[in-house]
Amino acid sequence: MIVMVILVALLLAFFSYQLYVRVQLESLDSDNPKMKRKINFYKHQENNRSLIFLMAGTVMFSLLFAGVFYNQNVLRQETKDLELKVEEIKSSGAGSSSITVESYKENALKLTEFPWNKVVESRDATALTNYEIQLSRDWQPFFGEINATILKSNNTKSLTLSIFSSSLRDQGFETAEKNVEVFAKELAPIKEITMLDFNFTYRDKTNTLSKKAIVYSRPSKEGNLEKIELEK
């Protein structure tokens, strides 16, 4: 845009100069035929020169205008594409916040067959991380996007499973809450597990961000996993 303004200013300056020269030439006159021919010849040269510069200026102005018009179209298209991408991201975000949660049927994952004894005995941090990743992947359909953390006690050879879920809405949370009860029942025979700690951050029916913790604890090695009533 600045270049176009400069070009227009230069063209105006040039035509102003040509007008000034033409006025000066028109004021020239002579009774001498030879001098008169020279004056007419000079006028003809100036007319040709003005025409050439006019054509060149017109071509340059047209090219510049076409370039500006093209850039505006490209910018408009890029803006439109960006708006579409933003809408896609918003749609994707809306979809992720309403993840479908499946109802868990007992023994569907065969939780008792998970290598819990190996988890207890292992002292390899990488192996422990792999177990956590596997649990997060396997349990995701029943609790939404989760992070599973395994805490070990080497002294008591026991495990605490902490599950963190933050991607659910009200209906999905209700299903996940019921799944916790079924998981606790199925994991009850695994004596190595002494605590289940589920932490949910979800959107309730009014779209308000809410939190709830559900904890099961085993009072003794021989006891069952019992739900702990937490203070609200």
Side-chain angles (χ1 to χ4, degrees):
M1 191 67 182
I2 296 177
V3 177
M4 181 177 289
V5 172
I6 295 174
L7 181 58
V8 171
L10 290 174
L11 289 174
L12 289 175
F14 171 75
F15 287 125
S16 297
Y17 171 74
Q18 290 296 316
L19 180 62
Y20 170 77
V21 170
R22 191 171 188 82
V23 170
Q24 294 299 315
L25 287 175
E26 291 296 333
S27 66
L28 292 177
D29 198 4
S30 176
D31 294 331
N32 189 322
K34 187 176 181 179
M35 181 61 69
K36 198 165 189 176
R37 283 196 303 270
K38 287 184 177 181
I39 292 173
N40 290 336
F41 178 73
Y42 187 68
K43 287 181 179 180
H44 180 70
Q45 282 187 320
E46 283 300 318
N47 287 337
N48 289 339
R49 188 180 295 112
S50 298
L51 182 60
I52 292 172
F53 278 114
L54 177 62
M55 292 175 63
T58 303
V59 171
M60 291 177 61
F61 184 82
S62 299
L63 291 175
L64 185 61
F65 180 79
V68 171
F69 182 75
Y70 173 77
N71 287 335
Q72 286 181 337
N73 281 341
V74 171
L75 182 60
R76 191 179 296 112
Q77 185 61 44
E78 289 178 347
T79 301
K80 187 176 180 180
D81 292 342
L82 182 60
E83 290 175 351
L84 290 175
K85 288 182 180 179
V86 170
E87 289 300 322
E88 288 177 2
I89 292 173
K90 287 182 178 179
S91 299
S92 175
S96 64
S97 62
S98 56
I99 292 175
T100 301
V101 177
E102 301 176 16
S103 293
Y104 181 73
K105 305 301 181 182
E106 192 171 350
N107 294 319
L109 290 179
K110 299 187 183 302
L111 299 177
T112 56
E113 296 181 8
F114 192 82
W116 300 110
N117 57 332
K118 290 184 179 180
V119 177
V120 172
E121 298 297 335
S122 175
R123 295 183 178 274
D124 185 351
T126 302
L128 182 62
T129 299
N130 290 336
Y131 288 131
E132 292 174 337
I133 293 173
Q134 184 177 346
L135 288 179
S136 298
R137 183 182 64 247
D138 293 345
W139 294 19
Q140 177 179 326
F142 311 103
F143 302 105
E145 293 287 343
I146 63 171
N147 286 320
T149 302
I150 302 174
L151 301 178
K152 296 197 312 175
S153 173
N154 293 324
N155 293 332
T156 60
K157 301 293 183 181
S158 62
L159 302 173
T160 295
L161 301 183
S162 294
I163 308 299
F164 300 89
S165 172
S166 59
S167 61
L168 302 180
R169 288 192 175 274
D170 183 67
Q171 188 173 0
F173 167 71
E174 290 178 356
T175 303
E177 190 175 21
K178 294 176 182 177
N179 289 340
V180 171
E181 183 177 350
V182 184
F183 268 66
K185 180 180 178 182
E186 187 173 340
L187 289 170
I190 311 302
K191 301 303 181 180
E192 291 87 353
I193 298 176
T194 57
M195 182 173 288
L196 291 174
D197 181 17
F198 286 83
N199 296 273
F200 293 95
T201 301
Y202 65 99
R203 295 280 179 179
D204 62 17
K205 293 180 180 179
T206 63
N207 203 35
T208 302
L209 197 63
S210 303
K211 295 184 178 182
K212 184 171 183 178
I214 305 174
V215 179
Y216 282 79
S217 179
R218 194 186 304 275
S220 65
K221 201 76 172 179
E222 292 73 25
N224 289 323
L225 286 170
E226 299 176 2
K227 187 174 183 180
I228 298 177
E229 295 299 327
L230 302 175
E231 295 182 4
K232 298 184 178 179

